[in-house]
Amino acid sequence: MPAIGQTAIDVHAYQPRSRANGPGTRFVLWFQGCSLGCPGCFNPDTHPAGPRRRLAVAELIALFAGQGDTIEGITLSGGEPLEQPDAMLALVSEVRAHTNLSIVVFSGYTIDEIRAMPSGGEILQRIDVLIDGRYQAARRIGRGLRGSSNQHIHLLTGRYSMSEVEATPEAEIRIDPQGRVTLTGVAPLRLKR
Ligand code: SF4
């Protein structure tokens, strides 16, 4: 694994506090870059690889710490977090080593595909909850953290129960102090209707 000081993540965006991306209040980090090309993906701006904004793992750890006890965990989404495996492993390793934050990950790769990646097993060992699989528009459900019914929720530690994970609200509106509005969650488009 590269030294933490040399490791950075190509970030699409982040939201310091969200209630619609896993249990409780969570810091959400959307990775930039996804090659999977699911038809109907509602966040195509995340697809191009390459830096939109590059943040060092150490900077991200400081951002998490800056939230104090207002968050109980982090959620990594995208884009595709597993397409930056070295940086992802560095991030989840630091979170596990220095915080008590829980870790939820959304990935378009299945858990078997992740296990087959060079760093996949180490990453999975450091995650509490994984929601896996490509988004399939024809099987859309948009609830319980699953965008489509082919996706699965994997409880990789005993930190959460399935009912706690599935109780996550499907959408939220957040308005920052500058008046910028962000729609998040597994079915944010419902809020636009
Ligand atoms: S894996 Fe996620 S970000 Fe990538 S195309 Fe599929 S739905 Fe979109």
Side-chain angles (χ1 to χ4, degrees):
M1 187 168 66
I4 298 303
Q6 302 167 358
T7 308
I9 291 177
D10 294 337
V11 171
H12 177 77
Y14 64 78
Q15 171 60 251
R17 279 188 282 282
S18 169
R19 297 277 302 174
N21 285 274
T25 302
R26 318 187 64 81
F27 190 111
V28 187
L29 183 66
W30 288 275
F31 284 54
Q32 182 66 38
C34 178
S35 67
L36 295 178
C38 307
C41 171
F42 60 79
N43 207 356
D45 289 349
T46 63
H47 294 181
R52 168 169 162 142
R53 181 174 183 184
R54 206 163 165 74
L55 290 176
V57 166
E59 286 179 84
L60 287 165
I61 296 294
L63 280 171
F64 303 157
Q67 309 310 314
D69 60 5
T70 65
I71 58 170
E72 70 174 70
I74 64 168
T75 294
L76 308 180
S77 187
E80 178 47 62
L82 272 299
E83 292 189 359
Q84 299 183 58
D86 290 346
M88 175 146 178
L89 178 56
L91 180 66
V92 296
S93 297
E94 285 295 290
V95 170
R96 276 288 186 255
H98 301 296
T99 81
N100 192 36
L101 296 170
S102 60
I103 303 175
V104 172
V105 174
F106 289 86
S107 176
Y109 291 100
T110 65
I111 194 168
D112 289 337
E113 290 173 320
I114 296 170
R115 285 195 183 108
M117 296 175 182
S119 309
E122 289 180 276
I123 290 170
L124 290 171
Q125 284 172 11
R126 293 162 172 80
I127 293 173
D128 294 294
V129 180
L130 171 72
I131 300 94
D132 75 340
R134 314 298 192 264
Y135 172 65
Q136 294 183 9
R139 300 173 70 178
R140 175 170 178 73
I141 51 173
R143 62 177 181 270
L145 288 187
R146 296 188 300 151
S148 54
S149 62
N150 61 296
Q151 296 172 327
H152 294 96
I153 297 170
H154 301 271
L155 305 178
L156 301 177
T157 67
R159 182 111 175 209
Y160 294 113
S161 67
M162 190 61 83
S163 59
E164 287 175 309
V165 173
E166 289 183 330
T168 302
E170 53 197 49
E172 70 180 347
I173 301 175
R174 301 208 69 95
I175 304 172
D176 72 13
Q178 288 72 43
R180 289 182 293 250
V181 176
T182 304
L183 302 179
T184 75
V186 76
L189 296 180
R190 284 184 191 164
L191 293 171
K192 291 184 175 176
R193 290 177 190 157

